[in-house]
Amino acid sequence: MIYLRRKIDEYLMNWKAAMGHKPLIVKGPRQVGKTESIRRFGEENYESVVYINFVEEPKYKNITEDGYGANNIVKNISRIDPSRKFTEGKTLIFFDELQEFPEITTSLKFFQIDGRFDVICSGSLLGISYKRIESNSVGYKLDYEMFSLDFEEFLWAKGYENDFVEELLLYMKELRPLSDVMMKTGYELFLDYCILGGMPAVVREYIMHGTFEGTLEMQRQLLNDYKEDIRKYADGVDQTRILNIFNQIPVQLAKNNKKFQISKVAHGARFKDYRGCVEWMADAGVISLCYCLNYPELPLRGNYDVTKYKIYMKDTGLLVAMLDEEAQEDLRANRNLGVYKGALYENIVADALSKSGYALYYYKRNDSTLEEDFFVRTAERLIPVEVKAANGRAKSLRTLIASEKYGDIRNGIKFCVGNIGYNNGIYTFPYFCSFLLKRYLK
């Protein structure tokens, strides 16, 4: 089976090289490649890897019976399986499916103090148990959030090296238009990525066979797995409400007004009844929430309305798999990303921004048509980001830049099907450059 290079690979190497490194918790939604990446890292860098999966081997939930000290846990693991080797300074202990036994994180403090073994924990739906985990191990762990492949990792999977990305970034910095060949290559790769998304199993299938055959079935199975997780981990009546919201995401993104409306989820649905359900899915890493700013000014945190938000899927390929059959056919046969009124374009940029570490915000003025898709910030400035299905005029963007009302805004960024350019304070880039925005702004 081919291994897909991931950004966590370099992170794990740097983590191991750091003096006195703390135990690590890798969290993220199911099937994004956490286990595969960590096991490969362990096998290549340690003499011994002690792998414990709390779903496959629930008997290991008893290893804390004598306490949470490193000696007690190592001794109890050895009792269950005497073949496990614990070589000081050369052993990685990997606790997987942490959501099944979050109590093990209490031991991280003692492993850190003990210092003989490296420890990594991993699990999906960690947002659900994370408050317990946080209190159990505060100050004695590091966190890393993993997502499905971003566009850069997809390029690696396709055989493109770092120089391709560096060349794109250089063109952006110098505001030079890309050649016809680069534009054509970039868009063809990006369209494939939009349809596939970044779930490793789906991308691997595509890379191995060179076609989309079977990928839609895999995506739909992943969606079913997510729904099973909701039924398994969500409490009582919330299961139905969370599933209602989940199923409504593509429907509501297809509206001209993409603000998510709880009243449209089910007959008689009210915001107060669904409080916490949307956040549950965000904590599970399935969706990104994009909150409406009270006013487009700095700071961003705290300057938004918690009752107004747009919902985007964390993986655009999974959003594509949720579309109706006609939209599926139009997208795959005609490569028409304009289906669903630009919802796919917005989701793609939202996905790129959130995977780059940005929190998502938008703005809609109540007394006018002024509406902006996203906002990011530098140290001194607020930068509006507009996503256009075509390379049309960005009316709201021009208003925000030109008006004296918005003192924190001087320039804006537009992602569209067009080439790199600059005009009247607006920097224009092709969609496939959106994953580079954070590096560009640096």
Side-chain angles (χ1 to χ4, degrees):
M1 187 173 72
I2 58 170
Y3 178 74
L4 301 176
R5 176 186 167 198
R6 304 300 303 275
K7 291 183 175 176
I8 194 176
D9 299 343
E10 185 180 354
Y11 178 89
L12 290 171
M13 293 299 292
N14 292 336
W15 169 77
K16 186 179 189 301
M19 288 289 290
H21 49 269
K22 296 177 180 179
L24 177 66
I25 295 180
V26 178
K27 61 175 182 170
R30 64 148 71 222
Q31 310 272 353
V32 296
K34 301 182 296 296
T35 301
E36 182 183 13
S37 293
I38 297 165
R39 290 194 78 163
R40 183 174 183 268
F41 160 74
E43 286 157 9
E44 290 185 351
N45 293 281
Y46 293 86
E47 193 176 287
S48 173
V49 177
V50 178
Y51 175 68
I52 292 170
N53 183 311
F54 290 116
V55 169
E56 292 175 1
E57 301 176 291
K59 62 189 176 186
Y60 282 99
K61 291 180 183 178
N62 296 324
I63 58 177
T64 58
E65 278 187 349
D66 299 325
Y68 291 94
N71 277 334
N72 293 329
I73 288 175
V74 168
K75 184 170 65 181
N76 283 334
I77 292 172
S78 298
R79 273 191 188 139
I80 295 169
D81 184 354
S83 70
R84 307 270 195 175
K85 288 188 172 62
F86 291 89
T87 309
E88 292 184 19
K90 296 178 180 179
T91 298
L92 174 67
I93 302 172
F94 178 16
F95 296 118
D96 202 3
E97 302 291 1
L98 185 58
Q99 74 279 359
E100 287 293 317
F101 189 54
E103 290 78 7
I104 193 64
T105 53
T106 301
S107 70
L108 299 185
K109 172 181 178 180
F110 302 102
F111 274 110
Q112 164 69 6
I113 293 166
D114 182 274
R116 288 176 295 158
F117 311 108
D118 285 355
V119 181
I120 298 179
C121 300
S122 171
S124 56
L125 284 167
L126 276 184
I128 316 313
S129 332
Y130 210 68
K131 288 185 176 66
R132 284 161 72 193
I133 291 169
E134 191 63 41
S135 62
N136 289 352
S137 53
V138 63
Y140 293 94
K141 63 169 178 60
L142 293 172
D143 298 307
Y144 182 91
E145 188 166 6
M146 195 168 174
F147 309 100
S148 63
L149 281 81
D150 67 11
F151 186 51
E152 186 169 15
E153 291 170 316
F154 179 77
L155 290 173
W156 294 343
K158 288 283 288 181
Y160 289 86
E161 299 298 331
N162 291 346
D163 55 354
F164 180 79
V165 172
E166 290 305 319
E167 190 176 8
L168 273 182
L169 185 57
L170 183 63
Y171 273 80
M172 290 172 72
K173 287 176 180 174
E174 295 178 353
L175 289 174
R176 275 193 293 150
L178 298 168
S179 68
D180 290 346
V181 172
M182 286 187 79
M183 284 290 287
K184 187 172 186 293
T185 302
Y187 267 111
E188 283 180 356
L189 288 163
F190 195 65
L191 274 165
D192 287 352
Y193 173 68
C194 295
I195 293 168
L196 291 161
M199 300 304 274
V202 178
V203 174
R204 188 178 287 112
E205 184 78 8
Y206 163 78
I207 296 294
M208 286 169 65
H209 298 106
T211 70
F212 291 97
E213 186 181 346
T215 55
L216 178 58
E217 290 74 16
M218 293 179 83
Q219 289 169 324
R220 285 177 172 163
Q221 184 55 53
L222 285 165
L223 290 168
N224 288 333
D225 291 344
Y226 278 168
K227 290 175 183 178
E228 279 303 310
D229 275 354
I230 291 168
R231 293 184 188 100
K232 181 176 180 181
Y233 292 102
D235 295 328
V237 70
D238 281 351
Q239 292 178 12
T240 304
R241 289 174 179 158
I242 292 167
L243 284 167
N244 285 345
I245 292 168
F246 188 68
N247 292 327
Q248 274 280 309
I249 292 170
V251 179
Q252 298 222 20
L253 276 178
K255 300 181 305 182
N256 286 322
N257 171 20
K258 293 178 175 59
K259 188 188 95 170
F260 197 88
Q261 293 174 283
I262 293 294
S263 60
K264 301 278 197 274
V265 169
H267 181 69
R270 295 173 300 176
F271 182 82
K272 69 185 184 79
D273 297 329
Y274 278 75
R275 188 180 296 279
C277 294
V278 172
E279 291 79 4
W280 190 97
M281 279 198 295
D283 284 345
V286 177
I287 61 168
S288 295
L289 293 178
C290 181
Y291 287 104
C292 185
L293 292 173
N294 295 318
Y295 195 77
E297 64 182 359
L298 295 173
L300 292 172
R301 291 192 185 280
N303 173 30
Y304 59 88
D305 187 336
V306 294
T307 68
K308 294 178 184 174
Y309 46 78
K310 295 185 281 189
I311 297 178
Y312 297 106
M313 287 294 289
K314 280 276 192 188
D315 186 90
T316 302
L318 293 184
L319 174 63
V320 167
M322 296 170 82
L323 303 182
D324 55 60
E325 296 292 341
E326 292 76 18
Q328 287 280 348
E329 193 171 326
D330 191 14
L331 178 61
R332 290 168 188 273
N334 304 320
R335 298 173 80 74
N336 173 24
L337 270 180
V339 295
Y340 272 63
K341 298 176 183 168
L344 293 186
Y345 288 116
E346 270 192 46
N347 202 97
I348 288 158
V349 175
D351 190 34
L353 294 180
S354 65
K355 284 175 178 172
S356 300
Y358 284 116
L360 301 181
Y361 304 98
Y362 76 103
Y363 180 65
K364 173 90 169 73
R365 209 164 99 183
N366 292 328
D367 59 351
S368 79
T369 57
L370 181 70
E371 183 170 7
E372 197 53 72
D373 299 319
F374 302 105
F375 288 86
V376 295
R377 65 164 300 172
T378 61
E380 297 90 21
R381 293 282 171 227
L382 181 62
I383 301 171
V385 178
E386 188 143 328
V387 182
K388 300 296 284 186
N391 193 5
R393 292 183 74 245
K395 187 183 170 189
S396 291
L397 198 51
R398 292 178 189 281
T399 303
L400 288 167
I401 293 166
S403 175
E404 292 181 2
K405 289 183 191 172
Y406 312 110
D408 291 332
I409 298 170
R410 290 286 181 274
N411 302 95
I413 286 169
K414 180 174 73 172
F415 288 111
C416 63
V417 293
N419 209 323
I420 294 173
Y422 175 81
N423 185 36
N424 292 331
I426 297 174
Y427 297 83
T428 301
F429 300 112
Y431 294 113
F432 58 82
C433 293
S434 54
F435 75 100
L436 285 168
L437 182 61
K438 195 163 200 172
R439 273 177 264 180
Y440 172 75
L441 291 176
K442 269 188 178 176

